[in-house]
Amino acid sequence: MINRKLAGIVAGTAAVALLATACSGGDDNNGSKPTDKSTSTAPADAKRSDKILVVGMPNGQQKPNQNPLANGSASLSLGYAFAVYESLMQVNEIKPTDPPTPWLAQSIEWNEDSTQATITPREGVKWSDGEPFTADDIQFSIELRQKNDALNTDFPGQYDSVTTDGKTVVVKFKSGQYVNRSKLYKLLIVPKHLWAGKDPVKWTDDEMVGTGPFKLKSFTPQSVSLEPNDSYWGTKPLVGALRYDTFNDNNGLTTALTTGQAQWGWTFIPDYENTFIAKDPEHFHQVAGGGFGVDVLFLNNAKGPFQDVALRKALNMVTDRADISATAGSGVWPEIKSVTGLPQPSGDSFISPEFQGQNLTVDVDGAKQVLTDAGYTWDGSGALLDKTGKKVSFTLTDPTGWTDYLDALNIIRDGAKKLGIDAKTVGANQDKWFNDIIPFGNFDATLHWTDGGETPWNLYSNIMDGASFVDLGKTATWNFGRYKNDDVTKALADFKAGTTEDQRSAALAIVQKHFVEDVPGLVIWSRPAVAQYSTVNYTGFPTADDPYANPQPTGPQAALILSKLVPTQG
């Protein structure tokens, strides 16, 4: 498993991307008025330690690209971009209804219909080269997204204008962004004085001048070293040495975590309590949080066998999600039960009355009847034949090394075989998957994550939104399966722009009806943010009792977490 929450690598965030979330912001609907919690709770006499903190990710060797905005860059893939560059606000994805914490922005105020945000920058911040951070940097960073589609995964086609009077930045959108407020909060900001005139998509940003608590020290394809930024505006980091190591797969990172070679990361560890925590119960920890993030089997609606809704329905009916959760997910990723695809209990209040109490079940006979009614037949060997008499086959693919995903695909494959389908699972090169298979639609079926949020909008939009639709061969940032339905697209837009609960409920009912009837993709399991860490060298990570942030190192929250880490005593 890669840093999937960081969907920015392909899809916003990224993220990464893990990782994009909606947040209401502040104590009313029109503004962000949180308490400033940007200082650490470290003891006043705490001193910087020379102990190293190693972040590990299972992403393979990296190319020398430090660009924090570019899809597929090493700094995003391993996550060190978030220790060097910072976001406007901090959003707690584990508790997304909490107000955001001011960071590079002192405040962000929204108008009533969420079409305009007014950003007030924090004063006294400097870039690591000593230049002052200003409103111009915020305006410039947002305009980079506005002017470059390849960088604009969060608000594609939605920016209207970005202006500044030198003290504040006003961002106007073409439609209401109620469900996307936190995407603005989480945008990384880069220095105008260095980026102006550069191609922001291709530039490798070798020096990495940021506002964050760390600076780039050295880079190799296997390991990246950072050092503290002594001119940091916030609480000076007590972590004296920070390194990001990359491993070839989940197993490699698991070994590194259990041996102490890495002290912070996130990967899928089967039987994690015995495999990982039991090795050092005092210091080894795994923590997970909730939300609306899920993993979905994207089905190619534009070519191949899944153009036919009957086949999509049949596969949905033979997919054993309970087995996938227990076997492929080792119980870490909770089973999806509702036919709406919503994780529970987070999604209970969002399930339309039409689908309340309707759960997914494995029904092979029912699936065969759906196929029969649609004109499918079987030959003497039991192979499924389509309406033209051709044997039905498809390939399920995900990157080699993502063991939980591949194990899930194998269970889905076995379910398909019960229908007489010639299905196979094929591992792919990670770079090819990110840069060719996923964005251009070069697949039959592939498992991928969605963004989270405090509403289901991101989940459904990522799968079904016509606003993200592009033809095969063109770069998709979401809606990888190329589903298109004008009613759904309008309903998603209505939900996003709605100013009342009644408006949003009516729109969501339309979306859920088409999700259930059209089966554009299969939501497999919910995806809470999971991380592993060791407290041998440092303490202060998010815990189940104090879930102050998404615990993963591959998101804007890394700057917050790093500000709270203190050397372990003893």
Side-chain angles (χ1 to χ4, degrees), residues 107-386:
S107 66
I108 298 180
E109 299 287 335
W110 292 87
N111 65 353
E112 184 176 2
D113 63 1
S114 298
T115 58
Q116 178 176 305
T118 301
I119 305 168
T120 301
R122 180 183 294 275
E123 296 181 355
V125 177
K126 291 186 176 181
W127 296 98
S128 59
D129 63 359
E131 291 292 317
F133 161 79
T134 69
D136 289 341
D137 294 311
I138 296 176
Q139 178 195 29
F140 174 77
S141 297
I142 296 175
E143 284 184 334
L144 286 181
R145 278 96 168 178
Q146 181 186 23
K147 296 176 181 179
N148 295 274
D149 291 341
L151 305 180
N152 190 16
T153 56
D154 292 319
F155 298 101
Q158 291 299 301
Y159 289 117
D160 186 11
S161 65
V162 188
T163 58
T164 180
D165 60 5
K167 296 181 179 180
T168 62
V169 179
V170 176
V171 184
K172 294 183 178 180
F173 297 93
K174 296 178 182 178
S175 63
Q177 301 297 321
Y178 172 80
V179 299
N180 287 328
R181 291 181 175 191
S182 70
K183 292 182 179 180
L184 180 67
Y185 302 159
K186 295 192 292 183
L187 291 182
L188 295 184
I189 306 303
V190 297
K192 179 179 179 179
H193 68 279
L194 294 178
W195 281 65
K198 304 291 195 304
D199 183 334
V201 178
K202 297 180 179 179
W203 191 40
T204 56
D205 187 30
D206 297 333
E207 299 301 320
M208 294 192 79
V209 173
T211 61
F214 285 85
K215 302 188 297 183
L216 179 65
K217 182 178 181 181
S218 64
F219 172 90
T220 72
Q222 298 83 21
S223 184
V224 181
S225 293
L226 274 63
E227 59 187 353
N229 176 10
D230 289 329
S231 64
Y232 184 50
W233 62 270
T235 301
K236 301 296 189 295
L238 300 181
V239 176
L242 182 60
R243 195 175 77 225
Y244 291 74
D245 289 351
T246 183
F247 302 87
N248 289 333
D249 52 27
N250 289 358
N251 292 333
L253 178 53
T254 298
T255 299
L257 289 165
T258 56
T259 60
Q261 182 182 351
Q263 295 92 46
W264 187 18
W266 67 285
T267 187
F268 173 70
I269 303 179
D271 192 18
Y272 70 92
E273 291 182 337
N274 291 315
T275 302
F276 172 56
I277 293 176
K279 304 297 183 183
D280 187 350
E282 180 181 355
H283 297 107
F284 289 177
H285 305 273
Q286 176 165 301
V287 62
F292 282 99
V294 299
D295 285 340
V296 57
L297 184 72
F298 280 92
L299 304 176
N300 199 321
N301 288 223
K303 69 173 184 179
F306 291 119
Q307 292 180 87
D308 187 0
V309 65
L311 188 64
R312 302 198 300 267
K313 286 182 177 179
L315 183 63
N316 192 40
M317 295 171 70
V318 297
T319 296
D320 192 338
R321 291 168 173 82
D323 187 19
I324 293 173
S325 175
T327 304
S330 292
V332 176
W333 315 132
E335 173 191 356
I336 291 293
K337 297 181 180 181
S338 172
V339 295
T340 63
L342 292 181
Q344 296 170 284
S346 301
D348 284 344
S349 64
F350 292 95
I351 297 175
S352 299
E354 180 180 0
F355 301 115
Q356 287 283 348
Q358 293 191 32
N359 289 334
L360 294 157
T361 58
V362 176
D363 185 359
V364 176
D365 290 338
K368 288 182 177 180
Q369 188 61 54
V370 167
L371 294 171
T372 299
D373 292 344
Y376 288 78
T377 57
W378 287 262
D379 67 12
S381 67
L384 181 65
L385 307 178
D386 66 17

Side-chain angles (χ1 to χ4, degrees), residues 50 237 252 287 492:
D50 59 1
V287 62
L492 286 167

